Amino acid sequence: MAKRTEWDYIVEVKLPVALKGIEPGKLHPSLLRDIPGGGKLFYLAADAWLAMVEAAKADGVELKPTSSGDLYRTYDSQKAGFLTRYQLEPIPGQSTKTFEGKTWYLKKGMAMLATPGKSQHNLGLAVDIANASDKKRINWLIANVEKFGWSWEVVPSEPWHIRYVCGDAAPQAVKDYVARNPRPGGPFGSVADQKAAAEAKTAAPTANVQAAATKRTVKQGSAGPLVKEAQTLLVKHGVVCKIDGDFGPKTAQLVKDFQTKNGITATGEVDQATWSILLA
């Protein structure tokens, strides 16, 4: 591995506007981009990662994540990983973390992991790189991570873990990549539309929650104006749904699909959490 002094590059993360006020691990799908091979990243980090992957490939270096789960992680997936590595029973000499008001001890033989909600993976800004300490790969990263807007977080023990640190100010190398590879629009509109929607959402997230609090839960068997409103909002979110004010099994399945797509529990009922997303 390269000497620490050669790759001891750590820069504080500048948070993109679209992520301010967002609960880590609970990003709306419109903020995420699929990464070839599996996994997702926040859309600006995705640009920076794909730009760096392309440049590395041109130099004969392969960059890929250690797994699809080592890009964006939901809060629940981070928690599941944390609970496999840490325990409440004291282990003398082992490092500790505080979570849910309790002290947790790192199990012997396990690598450290951030507590749920505290990892840059929960914001879609981090990537763990496979075989990062390979001499050719680490040397390429040393020479290029800054150029593409990345930096390490912990050195020298975690050469694989990098974070996108440039906020909304993409480096020129990333801008050049995007110019060569225009980002397609998706089910949530163009990238510009998605960013504008995300910024609007972060500007007044409380309004949606307050509005949702005034709505009662509707579910299979419900009928009337509130069901019709929920169906209308589903249609506005791109769901092909019959607006008839009747909450039948088809509407319930569409609601389940919508909930799954938006990272909330798929109950098939339009509850407060679902209303909040529908009203966004």
Side-chain angles (χ1 to χ4, degrees):
M1 182 188 294
K3 295 179 181 178
R4 175 177 178 174
T5 53
E6 294 175 344
W7 62 280
D8 193 1
Y9 175 65
I10 299 176
V11 176
E12 184 178 351
V13 173
K14 292 181 181 178
L15 199 65
V17 170
L19 287 177
K20 292 182 178 178
I22 297 295
E23 189 173 356
K26 299 183 180 181
L27 273 61
H28 191 274
S30 64
L31 296 174
L32 298 166
R33 287 279 170 185
D34 291 326
I35 299 300
K40 299 175 183 291
L41 284 172
F42 175 69
Y43 64 89
L44 294 177
D47 288 340
W49 171 251
L50 295 174
M52 191 163 68
V53 168
E54 179 188 77
K57 184 177 180 180
D59 291 336
V61 174
E62 180 186 34
L63 296 182
K64 64 180 183 179
T66 52
S67 75
S68 61
D70 291 320
L71 298 163
Y72 170 66
R73 295 178 191 150
T74 64
Y75 183 93
D76 287 342
S77 64
Q78 185 78 18
K79 183 176 180 179
F82 180 83
L83 294 179
T84 63
R85 301 189 190 191
Y86 289 81
Q87 66 180 49
L88 287 171
E89 184 179 352
I91 305 176
Q94 290 294 95
S95 64
T96 62
K97 288 186 180 294
T98 301
F99 176 55
E100 296 181 338
K102 302 174 183 177
T103 299
W104 296 76
Y105 294 80
L106 181 65
K107 297 177 183 178
K108 292 183 178 180
M110 292 286 188
M112 289 189 294
L113 188 74
T115 53
K118 299 296 185 180
S119 171
Q120 297 298 336
H121 285 290
N122 295 153
L123 291 173
L125 297 177
V127 178
D128 289 346
I129 302 174
N131 302 312
S133 58
D134 171 79
K135 186 175 181 180
K136 183 177 181 180
R137 187 168 291 108
I138 193 66
N139 285 339
W140 191 93
L141 289 168
I142 291 166
N144 290 280
V145 288
E146 182 177 6
K147 178 180 177 181
F148 291 94
W150 299 87
S151 94
W152 284 279
E153 183 172 15
V154 180
V155 294
S157 59
E158 296 186 5
W160 59 84
H161 180 69
I162 60 172
R163 309 108 73 241
Y164 178 68
V165 297
C166 290
D168 295 292
Q172 188 60 48
V174 178
K175 292 179 181 178
D176 293 342
Y177 170 83
V178 173
R180 296 192 304 272
N181 302 273
R183 296 171 290 195
F188 297 93
S190 69
V191 172
D193 290 339
Q194 292 177 39
K195 183 176 180 181
E199 291 174 352
K201 181 179 178 183
T202 58
T206 304
N208 296 335
V209 174
Q210 291 176 340
T214 68
K215 307 290 185 183
R216 63 178 175 84
T217 296
V218 290
K219 56 187 177 180
Q220 189 168 334
S222 300
L226 202 56
V227 172
K228 194 171 184 178
E229 181 182 356
Q231 292 170 330
T232 300
L233 291 170
L234 284 168
V235 171
K236 288 184 177 180
H237 281 270
V239 178
V240 180
C241 179
K242 184 178 181 181
I243 303 174
D244 59 5
D246 182 17
F247 203 121
K250 289 186 178 179
T251 299
Q253 186 58 54
L254 291 173
V255 171
K256 282 185 178 181
D257 294 342
F258 179 78
Q259 291 169 326
T260 298
K261 190 173 186 178
N262 285 276
I264 58 178
T265 303
T267 62
E269 301 178 1
V270 182
D271 52 16
Q272 186 172 343
T274 309
W275 276 117
S276 182
I277 295 175
L278 286 172
L279 291 166

